[in-house]
Amino acid sequence: MTRELIAILDFGSQYGQLIARRVRELNVYSRICAAHTPADELAQMPLKGIILSGGPASVYQPGAPRCDEQIFDLDVPILGICYGMQLGCQILGAEIAPAQNREYGRASLNVIDKSDLFAHLSDEMLVWASHGDQVGKLGDDFAKIAQTKTCPYAAVRHKTKRFFGVQFHPEVSHTPKGREILKNFLYDICGCAGDWKMSDFVAETVANIRKQVGDAKVICGLSGGVDSSVVAALLHEAVGDQLVCILVDNGLLRKNERESIVSTFRDHFHIDLRVVDWSKQFLAHLAGVTDPQQKRRIIGAEFIEAFKSEAKKIANARFLAQGTLYPDVIESGSMSRASLPACVEGVPPSNRGQDARDTGAPVTYAKAANIKLHHNVGGLPAELGFELVEPLRDLFKDEVRVVGEYLGLPEDIVWRHPFPGPGLAVRIVGEITPQRLEVLRAADEILIDEIKAAGLYRRISQALAILLPVSTVGVMGDERSYESVIALRAVETTDFMTADFSHIPYEVLSLISSRIINEIRGVNRVVYDISSKPPATIEWE
């Protein structure tokens, strides 16, 4: 299937992935490309339009990221957002300078021209701004189409080129009409048909898997999480009995998790599922270890050993399936020219541009750390000579859930909260022992049961219990106790890059706390984590 495509050239924006998500939510396929992607590469794609993202640099600084100026001759519409607007305007003849009054946060936009980008919208609207630079002199080749109190050229259109620029972020929820602005660009200006559908994606992916795999066996590491479960379901749809799933029981799973995975995939979907009980080896190597990174290294190494022990028993196994998602591809810097025009690369840092400036967000252009070793089966493809199958590498997490629903996976798997690759090991602060694991399993079960009973599970993005390495004094049964503390954490987020703590009703928190203290021996105190991300992370380790 040939999809229509919106290419997003990334200039280091903290909202780059969000732009891609918003475009896809409007049923148009999008891809994030490096800022310097050559125009001739873009021309080879089914391109309907280009979006230039924001970024934390200033366009007039030496070393600031640039795009190939030939993209403005491709005869496709281009939308520049913040830095993208400034860069496009500069290339096409306008002047960019530091603003006398910088804009951060909500601003009132006055729309002057509603013929295209702002069609069907009101004359005044709230937008979210984050910039210290702006267009100083626009020139005769541009038309001003919107302004704010402190930004005279808040939106512009070039008179002869198909370029539009906005000095605010339509992709964020703080711009209430941002979706409509993007929709106008995609449908009215670019002429998109909106044919990005999950049913088409599944059919195309199944056909591609069959072509890639042939008659060979495919191994899938199954954890029971959303990503690996959807990969398994897709592969089973594509190659049936050629799929063999391996579940490694590391002794760090949630209560009854192993049994639930076996019931779903072996009994319901009739998938060949092999269970490797490696729990003794994991716990033996983790004994006495308290450093979180050391825990992760040990778990990653043992996972590979456990996986290899079973994989070697499978004849004609040439392929290894992984639940790599599109954010993984972007952040790992593993995008190849075969799958994307160019990888996202960095430029010299600056703190005088926009987007992240003065917001407390770190200004960086370097690619993020690679995917964790234990999370995506690490070096196994090279060690065992496997070829990779990554059917979800073009999708975001919410799109993966849609695929899972389409394939008929149970709701409790499709909508399961994220669970870390190292399991409960990184939710036990300090030493891991069988006794402490049992305490945390019981607390975790109570937390999840009660938020489900209260109808909160789908509203909350991730909920977890953490066992702390401290004991506190209490009174239980008229006697002094000195027992463990359980911390509860629940957050709401759309992208897991930022998150707010969930405002769980006090009566629900009270019930959870009461059950944990009364039902779990060795716990006498429960606390609730009300930190946001940033500065805190979602997991504690």
Side-chain angles (χ1 to χ4, degrees):
M1 174 180 125
T2 301
R3 307 187 189 108
E4 55 187 14
L5 171 70
I6 296 294
I8 299 162
L9 302 194
D10 180 42
F11 295 94
S13 172
Q14 59 181 321
Y15 302 130
Q17 290 189 29
L18 190 55
I19 298 171
R21 288 168 59 89
R22 293 291 179 259
V23 172
R24 291 189 186 188
E25 286 169 4
L26 289 164
N27 298 320
V28 179
Y29 185 64
S30 64
R31 295 206 69 129
I32 296 176
C33 307
H36 60 263
T37 302
D40 58 358
E41 286 194 20
L42 291 170
Q44 301 303 311
M45 304 175 184
L47 200 64
K48 297 293 286 186
I50 297 171
I51 296 178
L52 309 180
S53 83
S58 292
V59 296
Y60 47 77
Q61 285 184 309
R66 310 282 297 179
C67 62
D68 181 348
E69 297 186 9
Q70 299 303 311
I71 67 171
F72 295 95
D73 296 322
L74 289 177
D75 196 32
V76 296
I78 299 174
L79 173 64
I81 297 176
C82 283
Y83 181 92
M85 169 186 174
Q86 295 164 17
L87 180 62
C89 287
Q90 185 192 57
I91 291 171
L92 296 174
E95 294 182 14
I96 312 300
Q100 291 184 350
N101 297 287
R102 298 180 299 175
E103 281 187 323
Y104 295 107
R106 287 183 175 87
S108 179
L109 185 76
N110 172 240
V111 178
I112 298 168
D113 183 340
K114 297 198 294 183
S115 62
D116 38 44
L117 198 59
F118 298 106
H120 320 299
L121 298 174
S122 60
D123 295 337
E124 296 279 342
M125 68 183 76
L126 287 176
V127 297
W128 185 262
S130 178
H131 66 97
D133 297 334
Q134 62 188 36
V135 176
K137 294 182 180 180
L138 190 59
D140 295 336
D141 292 329
F142 286 90
K144 179 170 76 171
I145 59 177
Q147 64 187 9
T148 69
K149 184 178 180 181
T150 60
C151 184
Y153 307 116
V156 301
R157 179 202 312 112
H158 196 273
K159 293 179 181 178
T160 58
K161 303 285 186 181
R162 303 177 72 185
F163 174 75
F164 299 79
V166 293
Q167 192 59 72
F168 58 87
H169 289 279
E171 72 273 21
V172 302
S173 60
H174 300 301
T175 299
K177 294 298 181 180
R179 176 184 172 90
E180 286 78 3
I181 294 170
L182 290 173
K183 186 176 181 180
N184 285 340
F185 176 71
L186 297 174
Y187 286 86
D188 297 344
I189 296 173
C190 296
C192 292
D195 58 2
W196 169 240
K197 300 174 184 177
M198 279 303 138
S199 57
D200 293 335
F201 168 83
V202 171
E204 179 184 7
T205 302
V206 165
N208 288 340
I209 291 171
R210 287 172 179 162
K211 182 178 180 181
Q212 179 184 6
V213 169
D215 60 359
K217 291 276 189 181
V218 186
I219 299 175
C220 176
L222 184 61
S223 69
V226 179
D227 304 338
S228 68
S229 297
V230 172
V231 167
L234 258 178
L235 284 162
H236 192 248
E237 180 82 9
V239 297
D241 293 342
Q242 292 169 238
L243 170 67
V244 180
C245 291
I246 297 176
L247 168 64
V248 176
D249 184 351
N250 56 14
L252 306 167
L253 303 177
R254 287 172 160 171
K255 190 172 182 179
N256 300 322
E257 188 163 22
R258 172 173 164 175
E259 293 78 8
S260 174
I261 295 170
V262 169
S263 174
T264 298
F265 289 93
R266 184 185 289 169
D267 301 339
H268 179 71
F269 283 99
H270 306 294
I271 289 174
D272 184 356
L273 172 61
R274 318 281 179 89
V275 179
V276 183
D277 190 340
W278 211 262
S279 54
K280 290 182 180 178
Q281 291 91 326
F282 276 95
L283 295 182
H285 284 87
L286 288 169
V289 177
T290 59
D291 178 71
Q293 293 307 314
Q294 183 63 11
K295 290 179 185 177
R296 291 177 182 273
R297 282 191 288 270
I298 290 169
I299 292 167
E302 285 304 311
F303 178 86
I304 288 177
E305 291 304 313
F307 199 92
K308 283 167 58 179
S309 73
E310 188 64 33
K312 290 178 179 178
K313 302 175 185 176
I314 302 169
N316 195 29
R318 286 182 44 213
F319 295 90
L320 177 67
Q322 292 189 165
T324 308
L325 305 190
Y326 196 41
D328 297 330
V329 175
I330 297 165
E331 292 169 6
S332 68
S334 64
M335 296 182 289
S336 68
R337 289 184 178 267
S339 61
L340 200 62
C343 62
V344 176
E345 296 179 357
V347 297
S350 159
N351 61 4
R352 294 198 294 273
Q354 85 222 5
D355 255 5
R357 184 184 48 216
D358 295 346
T359 64
V363 179
T364 178
Y365 304 87
K367 65 186 180 184
N370 286 345
I371 304 167
K372 295 186 183 80
L373 176 69
H374 58 268
H375 186 71
N376 270 333
V377 206
L380 277 172
E383 282 193 43
L384 299 183
F386 288 143
E387 297 176 45
L388 278 179
V389 179
E390 297 175 301
L392 306 181
R393 63 181 285 117
D394 287 338
L395 301 186
F396 289 101
K397 175 71 82 171
D398 54 340
E399 295 172 321
V400 173
R401 296 190 195 278
V402 174
V403 172
E405 288 183 324
Y406 181 82
L407 292 170
L409 284 171
E411 182 178 344
D412 61 341
I413 288 180
V414 172
W415 292 100
R416 186 189 185 200
H417 289 179
F419 189 63
L424 298 178
V426 291
R427 293 182 178 175
I428 293 178
V429 181
E431 184 178 4
I432 300 165
T433 66
Q435 180 184 8
R436 299 190 80 204
L437 280 165
E438 288 309 308
V439 168
L440 184 57
R441 281 194 184 99
D444 174 84
E445 182 181 42
I446 291 170
L447 169 63
I448 300 302
D449 282 352
E450 291 302 331
I451 63 174
K452 284 182 175 179
L456 300 173
Y457 189 79
R458 289 277 292 269
R459 193 191 84 188
I460 295 170
S461 304
Q462 187 170 356
L464 56 141
I466 306 100
L467 179 59
L468 303 185
V470 295
S471 297
T472 64
V473 67
V475 178
M476 303 181 78
D478 296 326
E479 292 184 357
R480 221 175 243 280
S481 66
Y482 204 63
E483 296 180 334
S484 297
V485 179
I486 290 287
L488 304 178
R489 177 85 159 131
V491 299
E492 295 175 20
T493 178
T494 57
D495 54 21
F496 290 90
M497 296 188 297
T498 62
D500 292 323
F501 73 91
S502 295
H503 292 254
I504 297 176
Y506 288 143
E507 58 269 24
V508 178
L509 286 173
S510 176
L511 178 58
I512 294 169
S513 174
S514 178
R515 282 196 60 193
I516 288 174
I517 292 172
N518 287 324
E519 297 177 24
I520 304 174
R521 187 176 298 275
V523 177
N524 68 357
R525 191 178 301 270
V526 174
V527 298
Y528 188 53
D529 181 351
I530 59 169
S531 309
S532 63
K533 176 188 179 182
T537 54
I538 296 174
E539 298 282 350
W540 277 41
E541 288 196 343

